Amino acid sequence: MIRPEAKNQLMRWREALTGGALLLTGLWWLAGPGQLLTIPAIAMIIAGLALIRIGFQRARFRSAGAGPGSVRVDEGQVTYFGPLTGGVIALGELQALTLDRRQHPAHWRLKQPGQNDLMIPVNAEGAEALFDAFATLPGLKTARMLDALNKRAEPGGEQQVVIWRRDLSAHAQLTVH
């Protein structure tokens, strides 16, 4: 009944659309007769605005998901099963997160000491789960990550963008006895 392209776009923007519906419902309740629904209406408006903001961030992160391999995020571990490579990285041990545009499609490069870098295509199946996983990294700038992801690679431009790097001085202070 709905064209696949339209369904994909609706799914990509689902949080923002839900937030818009909450916002409109809250405004309708606020404008309605009486003041019985004022407090719930204000709560719905605030929730709708927050959901719209989150929805825009997630929509910018999502891709078609038709790339090679599959990503799973489970209890602080990122697992990638690819056609040629794969691996597991613990988010608590992650040292650096880089967006590598030298390959097509671009890849997330996750670096953990003592292991080979885990390369995950940005359009791998399940890669949208990486948004929440990356958001848990201390000090990560979500806007910087989304800007780097959505920016087109220019010839002669920066092909590897460091999105996040662990502050080793803070980590060393925690482990010294």
Side-chain angles (χ1 to χ4, degrees), residues 63-125:
S63 65
S70 176
V71 177
R72 175 186 283 155
V73 179
D74 188 28
E75 295 189 20
Q77 282 193 330
V78 176
T79 306
Y80 173 65
F81 302 103
L84 301 175
T85 64
V88 178
I89 294 281
L91 288 171
E93 300 296 320
L94 191 66
Q95 291 297 317
L97 170 65
T98 306
L99 181 64
D100 190 344
R101 293 191 192 112
R102 294 178 296 179
Q103 300 175 34
H104 184 72
H107 282 60
W108 295 110
R109 179 185 296 269
L110 286 73
K111 185 175 187 72
Q112 181 175 337
Q115 290 191 18
N116 293 332
D117 292 354
L118 182 59
M119 301 291 289
I120 303 173
V122 296
N123 64 344
E125 181 183 331

Side-chain angles (χ1 to χ4, degrees), residues 118-173:
L118 182 59
M119 301 291 289
I120 303 173
V122 296
N123 64 344
E125 181 183 331
E128 65 272 359
L130 293 173
F131 180 84
D132 291 327
F134 295 161
T136 65
L137 298 172
L140 177 94
K141 305 283 189 234
T142 305
R144 177 170 161 44
M145 175 179 67
L146 294 172
D147 288 343
L149 182 61
N150 292 306
K151 184 179 178 184
R152 296 273 183 219
E154 300 170 7
E158 192 175 18
Q159 296 297 310
Q160 295 188 54
V161 180
V162 176
I163 304 295
W164 177 85
R165 188 178 309 256
R166 183 172 300 282
D167 182 10
L168 296 177
S169 62
H171 187 65
Q173 291 174 356

